[in-house]
Amino acid sequence: MIKDLVKRSRSYRVFDENYKLDRKDLVELIDLTRFCPCGKNGQYLRFIPIYKEEVLKQIYPYLAWAAYLKDWSGPVEGERPTGIILVVSKEGSLTDPILACDMGIASQAIMLGAVEKNLGGCMIRALNRKKIAEVLNLSDDYIIHIALAIGKPAQEVIVEDIHEGDDVKYWMDDDKTHHVPKIVLHELIVE
């Protein structure tokens, strides 16, 4: 049921690094995007699957993991994702509204596919695009839109009901349980 997949599709930031993903795993997730709607049916997005440990290690320092968690600099060795999918394009810009919409739809399809495989991930838009492009020897033609970090989740994520106007900042306990405030349903609906 789609609601179950959506509810399980949280932003995981701590992973079991012993669970290795390979190219096939990531390509299966990328394949889902072929069936997603996109603006003008332009199909501008392309995807870079990253699964080799030596490349992942070079990219980790260029990902910013959680703006609200000021005392946490991201997953440490042993807790990192074992796959990253970069969503890129040769067209448009980072502020192009059609590409932003397409990127969101494609990214969510990948994340829901990951959940269906008992994986999880985190969509990371705060990243050092220039440094990642250098690591990958990616041509200047490409714009990196987002990094989708994927792996076997090793943390619990709890949704906390809040009301409109309450603090929306997420937090992590000492045991790395991640708490995510979400506004209750009836306050999301405008009558």
Side-chain angles (χ1 to χ4, degrees):
M1 185 168 173
I2 189 69
K3 186 173 184 178
D4 294 329
L5 285 176
V6 172
K7 285 173 78 172
R8 289 180 22 226
S9 182
R10 310 300 339 138
S11 289
Y12 293 100
R13 294 178 173 88
V14 178
F15 301 88
D16 176 357
E17 207 167 334
N18 292 317
Y19 187 92
K20 303 296 183 193
L21 295 173
D22 59 25
R23 184 178 190 283
K24 179 181 174 279
D25 296 318
L26 299 179
V27 168
E28 285 176 0
L29 295 173
I30 293 167
D31 185 44
L32 297 172
T33 68
R34 294 179 50 240
F35 307 101
C36 291
C38 57
K40 300 188 283 186
N41 199 34
Q43 303 173 66
Y44 302 117
L45 298 178
R46 299 295 181 265
F47 306 86
I48 302 172
I50 303 167
Y51 53 92
K52 293 181 180 171
E53 196 170 330
E54 63 274 9
V55 179
L56 289 165
K57 283 182 180 182
Q58 292 177 64
I59 290 175
Y60 291 143
Y62 305 123
L63 303 175
W65 280 89
Y68 290 146
L69 303 179
K70 302 295 183 200
D71 296 332
W72 188 72
S73 58
V76 296
E77 193 168 331
E79 298 180 340
R80 294 176 176 147
T82 56
I84 293 174
I85 297 173
L86 290 182
V87 181
V88 303
S89 72
K90 284 189 174 182
E91 308 284 331
S93 69
L94 288 173
T95 59
D96 182 316
I98 290 176
L99 285 178
C101 187
D102 291 355
M103 182 260 312
I105 294 168
S107 296
Q108 185 66 15
I110 288 170
M111 290 305 182
L112 290 172
V115 168
E116 186 180 48
K117 294 175 175 292
N118 292 314
L119 301 170
C122 187
M123 297 182 194
I124 304 172
R125 191 104 195 253
L127 45 95
N128 188 325
R129 291 169 176 81
K130 183 177 184 212
K131 292 290 190 183
I132 292 172
E134 287 174 10
V135 167
L136 299 175
N137 199 26
L138 188 62
S139 95
D140 290 342
D141 296 358
Y142 286 99
I143 300 162
I144 299 173
H145 293 278
I146 195 167
L148 307 176
I150 300 170
K152 189 71 163 176
Q155 78 177 147
E156 182 180 6
V157 178
I158 298 173
V159 173
E160 306 280 354
D161 285 346
I162 62 169
H163 297 280
E164 190 172 349
D166 289 350
D167 191 352
V168 296
K169 291 180 183 169
Y170 49 79
W171 71 95
M172 198 180 306
D173 288 346
D174 291 338
D175 68 354
K176 296 189 179 168
T177 298
H178 191 67
H179 297 265
V180 184
K182 295 290 184 181
I183 297 173
V184 294
L185 177 61
H186 72 272
E187 292 180 17
L188 295 178
I189 300 169
V190 178
E191 299 281 352

